[in-house]
Amino acid sequence: MPEAPRLSAYAIPDIPLIQPGDDIVDIMLDKAQAAGLALGDGDVLVISSKIVSKAAGRLICLDTVRASQAALQLAAETDKDPRLVELILSESDHVSRKRRGVLVTKHRLGFVSANAGIDQSNIEGGGDRALLLPVAPDQAARAIRRQIKARLGIQVGVIISDSHGRPFRVGNVGVAIGAAGLPTIKDLRGSRDLYGRILEITQVAYADLVASAAHLLCGEADEGLPAVVLRGLDGGGAHGCAADLIRAPEHDLYR
């Protein structure tokens, strides 16, 4: 029998609190080297969207935000800070669901999430500031991959991850909002199951599975581990981007 595949993962330790303008690639690689954890060809680096956004200066002081009339009305309906609601609307195509304490929107990047992915946890001055998602996370993932190739001469996959809730399940899971250098979807249609039956509809959200595996290490509270390396993944297949994971509206039965 063939040897069972093995997967290993490690979080890069001692990454400091990221500030606007920081070179996160230099920081991650230096900290990995200092810990004796070398990246290799075929590894996948999963990076929290938080540090990508912080380095890009996406941290907004709420005192600088002026709420529109639409934001004021929606804030009253949802019992949220009107300035935060203004930011949510600015990052969204439209509101999907709303009720007191809940505001779910279709983000400008195409996915549906609470508060347009805007976060106030694990940021300095969290009550008065808000962190927006990266402007173009697929592009950011490609840039990080190029920087690693230039510095180390190796090819790695890169995922920029965020945590999303799901409408029919409790709790958050890691998802890929940016990706480069690996398949994002594994299309199994046309292959056979254990009993020879041809699979007709099975597609695997591969990049999301990788992001969720990394979230087991990086966490969402005070772990302080925003970058995780996974080794031993099957990277075969055409490379994709996170935008590939967005279901087309004509195939969405719930919107």
Side-chain angles (χ1 to χ4, degrees), residues 218-234:
C218 69
E220 292 190 57
D222 62 355
E223 293 86 352
L225 298 169
V228 172
V229 178
L230 290 96
R231 180 167 295 162
L233 291 166
D234 175 14

Side-chain angles (χ1 to χ4, degrees), residues 19-255:
Q19 303 300 322
D22 281 351
D23 187 328
I24 60 173
V25 173
D26 274 348
I27 291 171
M28 289 186 295
L29 295 184
D30 288 348
K31 294 300 182 182
Q33 183 179 27
L37 304 170
L39 272 73
D41 268 312
D43 287 349
V44 176
L45 176 62
V46 180
I47 308 166
S48 168
S49 63
K50 275 190 171 68
I51 66 170
V52 178
S53 288
K54 286 181 178 181
R58 297 282 282 166
L59 191 59
I60 307 297
C61 179
L62 292 180
D63 287 342
T64 66
V65 178
R66 182 176 179 180
S68 63
Q69 189 59 43
L72 290 169
Q73 179 177 340
L74 191 54
E77 296 177 42
T78 58
D79 195 26
K80 289 182 177 290
D81 187 323
R83 301 167 300 175
L84 181 60
V85 173
E86 180 63 33
L87 290 177
I88 293 170
L89 292 178
S90 72
E91 288 285 286
S92 303
D93 287 341
H94 64 260
V95 174
S96 177
R97 295 289 186 273
K98 60 182 178 180
R99 71 177 189 187
R100 190 159 299 279
V102 177
L103 182 54
V104 179
T105 70
K106 180 187 177 186
H107 192 275
R108 57 178 174 77
L109 293 172
F111 50 77
V112 175
S113 67
N115 301 324
I118 295 174
D119 206 347
Q120 292 184 284
S121 63
N122 283 321
I123 59 174
E124 302 84 345
D128 298 316
R129 296 201 279 180
L131 188 66
L132 280 57
L133 290 178
V135 173
D138 275 327
Q139 181 178 326
R142 290 193 294 269
I144 291 169
R145 186 170 187 256
R146 286 194 299 268
Q147 286 179 264
I148 293 173
K149 174 70 180 326
R151 176 163 170 173
L152 300 181
I154 60 173
Q155 297 281 11
V156 300
V158 175
I159 287 177
I160 296 174
S161 68
D162 192 32
S163 57
H164 284 187
R166 299 154 297 165
F168 306 114
R169 305 282 288 184
V170 174
N172 293 336
V173 296
V175 299
I177 64 168
L182 76 163
T184 50
I185 298 171
K186 295 264 189 175
D187 191 347
L188 302 184
R189 291 174 295 184
S191 60
R192 295 180 181 273
D193 69 10
L194 287 171
Y195 299 95
R197 184 175 181 273
I198 295 177
L199 302 178
E200 298 180 356
I201 61 173
T202 303
Q203 298 182 79
V204 177
Y206 187 70
D208 284 345
L209 290 176
V210 176
S212 272
H215 272 235
L216 293 173
L217 290 180
C218 69
E220 292 190 57
D222 62 355
E223 293 86 352
L225 298 169
V228 172
V229 178
L230 290 96
R231 180 167 295 162
L233 291 166
D234 175 14
H239 295 173
C241 60
D244 299 335
L245 291 159
I246 305 299
R247 191 185 299 277
E250 62 269 23
H251 297 149
D252 191 337
L253 301 181
Y254 295 96
R255 280 192 269 170

